[in-house]
Amino acid sequence: MISLHPRRLLAVPVILIGLVLPSSAAGSLNQWHMVNPDSGSLSVTAITSLSGHPDSLYVASYFAFRRSVDGGASWAVQSSTPCWAQSLAVDPSDPMVIYLGCRSNGGAVKSTDGGVTWTAINQGLTYPQYPDDLPTVISVAIDPGHPDDVYVTTEGSQLGDIFASHDGGASWAPIHAGFFARGLVVSGGRLFAYDNGVITSDDGGQTWSQPASVDAELLVADPADPQTVYAIAINSSAGGVSLTTDGGETWTAVPAAPANIVSASVASGRIYLGTLAGASMSDDQGQTWLSSGTHVGTNLIQGFGIAADPASPGHVWLGTEYEGIWELTFDQATVPGDVPYWTAGTLPVDGVTATSVVLHGVVSATAPVITGEYQFQWGTSSSYDSSTGFTEFPAASQSGAEAEVSTTLTGLIPDTTYHVHLFAYATWWSTYLDARPDDVPFTTLPAAPPTVTAAPAVSFRHAVADGATLPVHISWGLARGTYSICSSQLQRSTDGGPYRPLSLASPLSRRLDTTVPAGHSYRFRVRPRDCNGLAGAWSEGDSTAIRQPTGPPRLMFSRRWTLLASGNHEASLAGAHATMAFTGRAVSIVALRGPHYGAAAVYLDGVRVETLHLHAESYAQSRLVFAHDFGASGEHTIMLRLLGNSTHPAVTISSFAVAR
């Protein structure tokens, strides 16, 4: 259904298609809402709506084609159109198939992927007198019952023709020659066209009726009643709407039709007209009319394209010449006339941190009105040297009540006082409208230093213990403050002495594998520093006692253990055991391996947990042969018991270690 015949000299035309678009939210009538795909002005040439394909919306402008699947809330498909679009139609059985008629002798193009790509379809679409020249395609119509049957009206070189394609635009043939072929629609299997009067054809244009004496250039059919077709005169100061309810056999003038009509759409038995002064609706086939209103600010609303929502009576999309694309809902409470401007005010802030804040404000209108835009402005003084981008007013503000708006600022300077102000303006006004110029100051928090989330914890590693040393793993956790962490320091205290630094593999390390001499107690601490040089507090871990068997916590030996000159203890009799009671989080054993060493069992809290096999072909360095981490500090006992062997029975204990 083609809903608009464009004027001959329009700047940067745009074509809009709506496919069963959802109705607006409930509220006052004459409630306008912009669905423009960009912030610039758009000059509309056509709007079409189809049943059965909800939420789809298409917009073609001079250089781009846009597609929306949510009624204009967002635009997902964009491509460059290969021509300056003059008219369009969508396949009612497949909304991805789109035909564009091109002006400036551009012929026609087709897309089968929703407007992403386009192909010229001009085979046969030329006048016999001028075979090298393509025409301007004024209108496009698709037969709903046979989607491959496509018809166009054209003009060029002072000629007019109607062409037909029965293969989806792959080829064309002329079916009517005339001087002024314009309006075109297929309804109930009958082809309606305008050429100095309405003509009809029941055989695809092979034969035509005599022109009916109806002054009209725009033809629209009622999809709910194929016998009902409207013929409309374009830009007539006297209105000019005629109606047939018998498929074009007879025509009746519609009384009191609005003047200066430029577009039309029919859905659910209602006809909608876009005019040079807004939009009008009739639900009784033109006997009475309801106007949407005439002005926004000081500008006329000019409906150069209109598309009715078949799923929601009274809900339409209106394309203007220079002020974009809008949706509105008709109601008996609609009052024509000017609409007032918007007001805006600033509310107190919240969510203040060292570098961010949540700003709040309100926008409102004194009556239902078009959308506008607002922005927050802020700075270290009331001169406001920074601002957000402009954002469209929320729909709730159109009820006349204050609707809250907010945004989050980041990247602020800690411990600094700022001022914030909400600016707003109505779309149709050229100056800012600030009825409530509220300045709200706030101060950011001081910068927070990084913190230690887990103090240094020591666990034992299964590795070679070089002489009297013990392999340990140290780990800790850090969290950023206001700024990112750039380095951390790890230090160790031995037997309660001063802390001394340890080298880390990386400034951002969270772990260290190292060895420490046995026979001492240790404590580790860590401190992070952010990239601005702000240091966090030191965090100390629990102490770690790494003792020889003679030192506390004391190891109790059974008979037949011998203290060697090296300080180690050795036994060879099966059943000999060593027991230690301790308080700690982890425990380990360092022992020797070699040819005369055998096996021993390890018991924790009376339960056998592991068997140590210490026999080796050659003598080796001391090795951590057992380690266990309880996960939390507590009271425990550990016992090592010799299992005995006739050829290599001995066990030599180098040290026990406890991490508290």
Side-chain angles (χ1 to χ4, degrees), residues 330-421:
F330 283 87
D331 186 87
Q332 296 302 320
T334 298
V335 178
D338 291 344
V339 294
Y341 58 81
W342 298 85
T343 62
T346 316
L347 296 177
V349 306
D350 62 14
V352 180
T353 71
T355 60
S356 65
V357 66
V358 180
L359 307 181
H360 297 277
V362 291
V363 293
S364 65
T366 55
V369 68
I370 64 164
T371 57
E373 293 182 322
Y374 68 89
Q375 70 170 188
F376 287 95
Q377 298 184 346
W378 80 94
T380 54
S381 70
S382 56
S383 61
Y384 314 112
D385 52 6
S386 300
S387 64
T388 64
F390 279 108
T391 302
E392 186 177 327
F393 284 164
S397 65
Q398 294 177 325
S399 66
E402 291 185 343
E404 184 172 344
V405 295
S406 64
T407 192
T408 299
L409 298 184
T410 59
L412 302 179
I413 302 173
D415 200 18
T416 301
T417 298
Y418 289 89
H419 295 258
V420 64
H421 190 185

Side-chain angles (χ1 to χ4, degrees), residues 314-333:
H315 183 221
V316 296
W317 274 257
L318 191 72
T320 65
E321 183 174 14
Y322 297 115
E323 287 82 21
I325 301 165
W326 300 81
E327 62 177 340
L328 67 139
T329 302
F330 283 87
D331 186 87
Q332 296 302 320

